[in-house]
Every structure is written in C-alpha cells, then in structure tokens.
Amino acid sequence: MPPTDAADHALDEALALVSRDPRSGPAAGGGGGGGRPITWSQARETAVRAGSGVRPRSHRVPLAAALGEVLTEPLEALTDLPSFDTSAMDGWAVAGPGPWTVRPGEGVLAGSERPEPLADGQAVRIATGARIPGETTAVIRSEHSRESGAHLYAERPVLTGQDIRPRGQECRSGDLLLPPGSLVTPAVLGLAAAAGYDELPTRPRPRVEILVLGDELLTEGRPHDGLIRDALSPMLGPWLTRLGAEVTGTRRLGDDPAGARALLDAVTGSEADLVITTGGTASGPVDHVHPVLLQAGAQLLVDGVAVRPGHPMLLARLGDRADGRHLVGLPGNPLAAVSGLLTLAEPLLRALAGRRRRPRYTAPVRDDVPGHPYDTRLVPVVLTDEHAVPLRYHGPAMLRGIAAADALAVVPPNGARSGQDLEILDLPWVTGGCFT
C-alpha cells in the first residue's frame, strides 16, 4: 500500500475507533437530539414517505415553463397525428402504375393548401411533410426516380402506400399519450406541441429556502483569524435547483440569541415547502436547531443517521402532514452537508415533486475501501467504463474529492473489497439532473 494510502487508512481507522458504538446506548449517539440514529437506508425511505404524504398541488403553465415538472393529468391527443396524410420523403407523388406524366408547376410543399387530386398516370413533386394529393398511390423518393422530358420513371419497384404517413399513424384523437406522473422532458414538450397543447397541467417545483447558520463564516476573501469562507451558500442553491427545486432565497443567520430568534421566525413563517439549514444540528452550546424545532412544535422524523460523513443530519415536519412543510438540517461541514443532501433532501424533493425514485445501480469498486464499524460511508468516486475509483480528500470538511467526483459510492459497515459491487449515487450534474 503506498504511503499516502496507508496514512488515509490509518486516519479512517482512528476515526472509527473514537466514533459512536450504537450498542452503548442513546447517550453516545451522534444524532444531536440524544436519540439513536437510524440506518442510512431507513433515513432515505423516511424522506420518501414524508414527501409522498403531502397533498399534491397543480397548476397550468405554458409549455416551456413545464420543463422538469410532472404531469398531474393524462396527456391525451387533441387531434390525429398526423392530422392528414403526409409525405415521408422528398420526391414524387404518383397515381397508378408508371411511367407517369409530370404535372407542371412547383409541386406540393409543406404547409400549402390542399393540393388538387392526381389523375391516373400522373406525378407531382412533393416535399417531406406536405399533404398528399387525393388518389395518390405512393411516394417515390427523388433518388429512386428518373425524369425524361415530361415523364417520370421509377428505378425501383413501387409499392402501394410507400413513404406515405397516413392520418392517425401515431395516434388518434383522444388516445392516451402519457399518464399522470410523467416527467416533462424536452421530448414531452415536442409531443405536447405536436398534439396541439399550449399549456400543461403540472405539479409545481418544491420551493426551498436555505438558512446558513454560523458566526465564523466569511462571504468574501481568504480565511483569517479563525474565520472560514462560507462554502455552502454558493453550492447549495445551484445543487438544489439541479435537483428540481425552486430556491426562493439563501440567508445567513448568526449563532447568537438574535440568530436563534430569526431561525424560529423562519421555521414558523417560511412559505417554502422545504427549509434547509446548515450547521447547528449537533449538541454544542450554540447549536440552536433542536431547541428551535422543539419550540416550533415540529415533529422530528429523522434525528441522526448512521452514515459518515453527516451523521448529525435531521428531518422534521413543520405543521400537519398534508401541508407538506419540512425542514432538513444539514451538518455544517461541507462534505457532511452533501451527504445530508443525498440522504434526506434529494429523496424528499423527488417525492414532493411527484417524481419517481431514481433507479438504483451498482458498480465494482477498484480498490479496497475502509469502512466504519457500524455506519454506512459515502465516498466520492470517479466512474470509468469498468470501475468506481475512490478519491482521496473525503473528510467531512473537505470538498476537494467531491468536486472531482462523478458520484458517491455507498460503502457498507466494515468496508468493501476491491471488485465488490457498491451502490452508486450519481451527482446531478453528471447525469444531467433535472431540466432547468
């Protein structure tokens, strides 16, 4: 093992030795509120259930505004597609057996009025998408024909109906094109437009407000005098937008009593579907999230997760279940906050948006990956054609690894051996994420 890898392995082992042992009871827990953390998979399932229990909203928006949202009603054809017989190719519309006499004129173009019917033995030039003249037998592609004077000759056998798209070939008026719950992609926009829609009924994007907590955070310049740059404000908004949320704002609140009061006002007064806080989820002297949630009458659904990094994350319901207001508390360390995003915020947002769960898949890890004795680990990886390659710089406060990563690998307790298949969590900018 190279010296740098050996040092990383030793650090991981040391961290594991001083970490929580779940068998020692709630007092040793890492959940901040004193409760025993739940497993990583249980936390994600809880987030899905929380979002799925919310009463869905719906609005009608122009096609372009529906991109990335989910249909709340069936998409039914408003007309036959195509709505008339059209030419599938540039060439000649012909009637009867050849050779054919070419009808004089410019031919039939797409978008032109209904053309005159063809007489038997007659041919007329036609463009792709143009309306087929009455009595047409077939369309002959330009490259499969030959003109000689006023006559047209086919250089291949001509089959009745060839290269003609008959009316209703794709669908008939009233046919179900897509069911409710379908994600509006660019292709769906094209289908809806072709079917005659100007607006679509969709589920609005979940609204998210971000509250960054901490007195030690700088908004510009280099770190100095015990102060550090706020790395979460520049990261969380774009990340959540890529997950399909509408970020209504990002605010910074201090750790003093005024900050705690502002946090309470935000938790109780925010109109967002999801409030996301950073920091303050543990049990330190200025960690206000748990006391504020208690004062606000919130219901803790997740209070600590057996995952590294990020175990002090939490999920709370604000108000009654049908209202759908929630809070996700992320740890203050940057990579730990990313862990909270992927563990709680992403599955909650997908459920609130009415989107299906992301398909699960695995990939073999290239190297041995040390594990925590009891907790799941999320490790940044680069994906190759054959392997998930673990990256260094995966400490809770580090962003260097995740900035270079394609995904995070889910490492079970006690680690994984080289070649072992691990679940992979794609990062939204690698997979394309939501259309925004």
Side-chain angles (χ1 to χ4, degrees):
M1 181 180 294
T4 53
D5 291 345
D8 287 343
H9 182 68
L11 175 60
D12 288 326
E13 288 186 333
L15 290 172
L17 287 174
V18 300
S19 296
R20 169 192 58 82
D21 180 344
R23 295 169 297 184
S24 60
R36 178 173 294 176
I38 63 176
T39 68
W40 180 77
S41 58
Q42 287 173 330
R44 285 172 63 83
E45 189 62 35
T46 300
V48 171
R49 288 200 305 269
S52 301
V54 174
R55 182 187 301 115
R57 294 180 289 130
S58 183
H59 61 180
R60 300 188 72 89
V61 292
L63 292 187
L67 188 64
E69 298 185 350
V70 167
L71 294 176
T72 56
E73 299 175 14
L75 186 72
E76 297 179 346
L78 301 179
T79 182
D80 297 345
L81 286 181
S83 55
F84 48 83
D85 294 348
T86 62
S87 176
M89 292 289 170
D90 293 332
W92 299 88
V94 298
W100 301 270
T101 301
V102 176
R103 190 164 76 184
E106 294 184 353
V108 185
L109 302 178
S112 62
E113 296 181 359
R114 182 189 298 273
E116 291 293 325
L118 290 176
D120 189 43
Q122 197 172 44
V124 66
R125 283 194 178 274
I126 193 164
T128 301
R131 187 192 296 258
I132 294 292
E135 308 305 324
T136 295
T137 303
V139 170
I140 304 174
R141 303 183 187 191
S142 297
E143 61 270 27
H144 297 163
S145 62
R146 173 175 56 86
E147 285 186 83
S148 178
H151 292 88
L152 177 75
Y153 297 87
E155 297 187 332
R156 295 189 180 185
V158 177
L159 303 177
T160 300
Q162 72 179 28
D163 287 326
I164 294 175
R165 294 186 63 212
R167 176 174 182 165
Q169 181 185 53
E170 185 169 1
C171 64
R172 290 291 185 181
S173 180
D175 283 354
L176 175 65
L177 302 178
L178 290 170
S182 299
L183 178 67
V184 179
T185 65
V188 171
L189 291 181
L191 175 63
Y197 284 86
D198 299 316
E199 296 180 331
L200 289 175
T202 59
R203 192 163 175 171
R205 298 173 184 270
R207 298 161 298 185
V208 178
E209 183 176 9
I210 303 169
L211 305 176
V212 178
L213 313 181
D215 292 330
E216 75 281 13
L217 302 177
L218 295 169
T219 59
E220 60 183 15
R222 301 178 183 180
H224 63 86
D225 300 328
L227 302 177
I228 61 173
R229 278 296 296 269
D230 172 14
L232 294 179
S233 293
M235 177 175 71
L236 291 181
W239 195 313
L240 290 161
T241 299
R242 201 62 182 264
L243 293 179
E246 176 191 345
V247 178
T248 61
T250 299
R251 289 192 284 158
R252 297 177 179 86
L253 304 180
D255 289 328
D256 56 0
R261 288 192 296 272
L263 177 60
L264 178 62
D265 290 341
V267 168
T268 55
S270 176
E271 295 183 356
D273 302 298
L274 173 61
V275 176
I276 287 187
T277 63
T278 70
T281 56
S283 301
V286 292
D287 290 335
H288 299 309
V289 174
H290 281 92
V292 163
L293 290 176
L294 180 63
Q295 190 172 356
Q299 179 185 1
L300 276 172
L301 305 178
V302 175
D303 189 13
V305 180
V307 66
R308 304 290 167 146
H311 61 284
M313 68 181 74
L314 60 85
L315 169 62
R317 179 180 294 128
L318 310 175
D320 64 58
R321 183 179 184 188
D323 285 343
R325 296 183 60 244
H326 292 84
L327 180 142
V328 169
L330 304 177
N333 279 323
L335 188 57
V338 169
S339 175
L341 275 179
L342 295 174
T343 302
L344 295 176
E346 179 175 5
L348 175 66
L349 286 171
R350 291 184 73 90
L352 288 174
R355 297 183 64 187
R356 293 186 291 270
R357 302 188 191 197
R358 190 181 296 278
R360 295 179 61 181
Y361 77 97
T362 62
V365 67
R366 191 187 67 180
D367 306 316
D368 290 351
V369 185
H372 187 277
Y374 316 108
D375 295 352
T376 299
R377 286 187 66 205
L378 301 181
V379 176
V381 294
V382 169
L383 300 176
T384 70
D385 290 341
E386 298 180 350
H387 295 98
V389 182
L391 297 173
R392 298 178 58 203
Y393 307 108
H394 46 65
M398 297 180 179
L399 286 174
R400 185 172 172 181
I402 192 70
D406 298 319
L408 280 87
V410 181
V411 181
N414 298 314
R417 291 292 187 183
S418 179
Q420 182 176 336
D421 283 340
L422 297 180
E423 182 176 352
I424 300 297
L425 302 177
D426 287 325
L427 298 177
W429 51 87
V430 175
T431 58
C434 198
F435 301 103
T436 55

